[in-house]
Structure formats: C-alpha cells, structure tokens
Amino acid sequence: MELIENCMNKVLNGKSITMKEALTLASISSNYVSELAEAANIICREFNGNKVDVESLINAKSGNCPEDCYFCAQAARYNTNIKRYPLLDKYTITESAEKAKKSGASSFCLVCAYREPPEDDFNAICNIISYIKDKVGIDVNCSLGFMTEKRARRLKDVGVKRYNHNLETCKSYFDKICSTHNYNDRVRTAKIVKSVGLELCSGGIIGLGESLEQRLELAFEAKELEPDEFPFNILIARENTPLAKNRTLDPLEIIKMISIYRFIMPKTIIKLAGGREVHLKEFESMALLGGANGIITGGYLTVGGNEASRDLSMIRNLGLEV
Ligand code: SF4
C-alpha cells in the first residue's frame, strides 16, 4: 500500500510522520495490518537492531494507593481482590532479582503502589537497590510514583538505571481516568527523572475508552518527552474498578497501534507490558515482528504472565536476540 510505504520511507529518512498520516494509517482495514506490521518491523530493526529488552518486575509494595486511577486494581478505594502488603523486605526483593537474572532477564524493576513513597520507605528502597546492585549485578529500574529532584538524584546515585512513570493516557483524556492528580503532574515527574540523568520509561494504556485520535495523541505526547522506553499496556478490566465494563480490544486493532507507535517513536524501546498475554494471545509474535522490541516477562503487578523460559524461546524462535 502506497501510504504505508511512503510513511515508512519518511521515518527511515529521519523524518516524523504527522498526526494526519498516523490517523490515516489507523484507518486502514485489517487486510493491511500485516503490511503495516512488516513496515514497522523494518523501522524497528533499522534503528534498534535485533535485540529485545526483557524485563522482570516485582510488586514490592502492593495496593492501598491513595490515588484513584480508574483502571487500577491497587487503588485503595476499589474493592478489588488483590493481595495488599507493605514494602517487602530486602531479602525477598533480592531473591526476586536473583531469580530474574537467572531466568535471562536483562533488567529488574522494583515497582511500588504509592502516590509518592513515605520517607522511611524511600530510604529502605535506596538501601535495597544498593544491595541488589552489589549482590546480583542486574540493571535495576524502579517505579515509585511522583518524584522530587532530590529523590531522583538519590536514586541515580544508588545505581538506578531507568525510572518508570507512565503518562497512562493523553492529555485530552486524562481527566476521564483519574481525579486525584492530573496529566501535568505526571509530565513533571517524567521531566525531573530525565533532568537528573536517569533513563526515562514512560508509556501508557490503551483501551481506557479513549478515541483512536486520543490513542495517537498519547504516542505523540510521549515522543516529546523522548523516553528511552514506552511500556505499551492494554487494559485488563478489573472487577469493581470504574472501567470494569470496558470492551475488549481486538488483537489486530492492538497490533495496528503498536506498529503505528513504532512509526511515531522509531528509536524508543516499545515494551509489551500488562495485557499482552490476555489480549494478544497467538498474536504476541506478530507484535514482536511488528514494532515492539521489549517485553515484561514472568507476570505483572496484580496478574500473572508467561514464564520467562517461554518468552525467551519465543524471542529466539523469531530470530531475535535477548
Ligand atoms: S498512582 Fe499508580 S498505583 Fe496508585 S492508583 Fe494510580 S496507577 Fe494505581
């Protein structure tokens, strides 16, 4: 299809596609999704080689979050059936990092459900990260909620590589998915993270009820922040959250979006994150050959996922590298 080829050549020549072009790509019929995915794969390989970034994470402090993100099973105010617990101890977290390393993951992400960590927890987390860096020797990333510059510097000093703070959705839709903070609050932390020299991981979730245009807006807005990584989540609608009744997305609709995100952010790691196994099913491989070049393996914050060995075989069978 001429449109796909023209857009691909534009990106390969170092130019950006426009919102209008992205919207036109998003309107192609499902018959052309394989062609779109192949073009996204060419862009992905050109700028990122064959490597897939494999990350394992731990939910180091679960639930009881004071915020009200309407999709989140960890918000204290929704009666969801998850395990809630305070910050895990150093040995439990280190054991999980060791397991991640043994399983072949290239990084380990320590995730906690906070608006921002209380001082005692923050100090404990810094000590735990230093310990893991010494004992395990794996790249450590973390996601702890809002950051101040002082705290971000401290994380950098203890050896954190990448800090995750998702935009979640685009600016024009943000007030439909959260009332306790706003889009600018999220952008502020993302910018602080970058300003102290940490790598930025900032992505979002599709399927929150946003329009197609807003889905693309998210990618263009994320691009402006120049994240090293964009985690691509697909909503798993959780019982008793305000988005419990959201419709399930079709796998080809998801692949199409991953591919267009690759056109928009040619050099960013686009990581398949929450919802990958549930929604993509047998299309997971197509996503990795259609623009995505990262995965979270071994489960997520409140739902399980594929075993790392299964994911690593899938990656190798596709001729890609870990
Ligand atoms: S801030 Fe994070 S943990 Fe808290 S409700 Fe929102 S998404 Fe969930």
Side-chain angles (χ1 to χ4, degrees):
M1 189 194 236
E2 209 180 332
L3 167 74
I4 297 175
E5 207 181 322
N6 288 345
C7 287
M8 177 184 79
N9 287 332
K10 201 170 172 186
V11 177
L12 291 174
N13 287 323
K15 301 203 178 81
S16 301
I17 62 164
T18 62
M19 179 62 163
K20 195 171 165 211
E21 285 167 329
L23 263 174
T24 318
L25 287 173
S27 68
I28 62 171
S29 82
S30 51
N31 295 340
Y32 290 102
V33 173
S34 320
E35 201 182 315
L36 180 71
E38 276 170 33
N41 192 37
I42 292 171
I43 296 171
C44 187
R45 304 281 83 88
E46 172 67 22
F47 292 111
N48 306 282
N50 281 342
K51 193 166 163 34
V52 178
D53 186 303
V54 180
E55 183 174 40
S56 170
L57 51 80
I58 183 169
N59 192 355
K61 183 267 170 194
S62 174
N64 292 327
C65 179
E67 300 303 287
D68 75 347
C69 307
Y70 303 167
F71 53 85
C72 184
Q74 299 204 71
R77 63 194 77 198
Y78 311 135
N79 185 20
T80 54
N81 189 19
I82 59 159
K83 273 194 208 154
R84 295 162 203 265
Y85 47 83
L87 183 64
L88 296 172
D89 64 78
K90 175 162 92 174
Y91 300 104
T92 308
I93 298 175
T94 305
E95 206 176 293
S96 176
E98 275 163 349
K99 196 173 150 216
K101 185 164 186 197
K102 270 195 205 121
S103 74
S106 41
S107 61
F108 174 71
C109 187
L110 194 153
V111 187
C112 297
Y114 299 117
R115 177 183 165 89
E116 66 249 311
E119 196 60 21
D120 285 355
D121 280 15
F122 184 71
N123 289 333
I125 289 165
C126 288
N127 290 336
I128 292 167
I129 292 170
S130 292
Y131 186 75
I132 294 173
K133 293 288 296 177
D134 276 358
K135 294 271 173 218
V136 186
I138 187 169
D139 283 341
V140 180
N141 305 329
C142 62
S143 181
L144 311 172
F146 294 124
M147 268 294 116
T148 59
E149 198 177 317
K150 191 172 164 209
R151 283 184 164 190
R153 274 191 208 290
R154 179 129 177 247
L155 291 176
K156 172 87 179 146
D157 289 345
V158 297
V160 169
K161 183 178 183 203
R162 195 176 289 164
Y163 191 86
N164 165 263
H165 196 68
N166 290 338
L167 292 179
E168 311 298 15
T169 193
C170 67
K171 188 173 186 176
S172 69
Y173 195 64
F174 198 90
D175 65 355
K176 304 288 185 304
I177 63 135
C178 180
S179 75
T180 49
H181 58 268
N182 61 37
Y183 177 86
N184 291 336
D185 293 329
R186 291 202 159 259
V187 169
R188 193 173 308 118
T189 282
K191 287 187 173 166
I192 285 173
V193 165
K194 278 202 82 123
S195 74
V196 304
L198 286 164
E199 289 188 10
L200 173 65
C201 167
S202 188
I205 311 176
I206 66 164
L208 299 175
E210 72 287 345
S211 68
L212 204 55
E213 191 162 357
Q214 285 168 325
R215 219 168 264 174
L216 297 170
E217 271 170 39
L218 167 64
F220 281 105
E221 288 167 2
K223 180 192 170 85
E224 277 177 34
L225 293 172
E226 300 180 346
D228 299 276
E229 173 183 331
F230 181 100
F232 188 100
N233 295 275
I234 310 130
L235 178 73
I236 300 176
R238 302 295 295 267
E239 215 178 315
N240 293 335
T241 62
L243 301 187
K245 302 257 176 326
N246 274 31
R247 78 172 175 96
T248 307
L249 301 184
D250 178 81
L252 284 182
E253 189 182 350
I254 299 168
I255 300 278
K256 194 197 272 187
M257 208 41 61
I258 292 169
S259 299
I260 300 173
Y261 274 34
R262 174 55 68 201
F263 278 72
I264 298 170
M265 293 180 280
K267 295 178 183 169
T268 303
I269 297 166
I270 297 182
K271 189 169 276 177
L272 302 175
R276 156 172 79 102
E277 295 91 338
V278 175
H279 295 285
L280 285 174
K281 301 189 179 80
E282 67 274 21
F283 288 87
E284 281 182 69
S285 304
M286 190 175 179
L288 283 173
L289 293 177
N293 64 336
I295 54 168
I296 290 175
T297 191
Y300 303 90
L301 301 177
T302 60
V303 289
N306 290 345
E307 282 295 318
S309 55
R310 180 196 174 281
D311 284 335
L312 296 187
S313 315
M314 172 177 70
I315 291 167
R316 291 190 180 111
N317 289 340
L318 294 172
L320 301 171
E321 298 154 14
V322 178

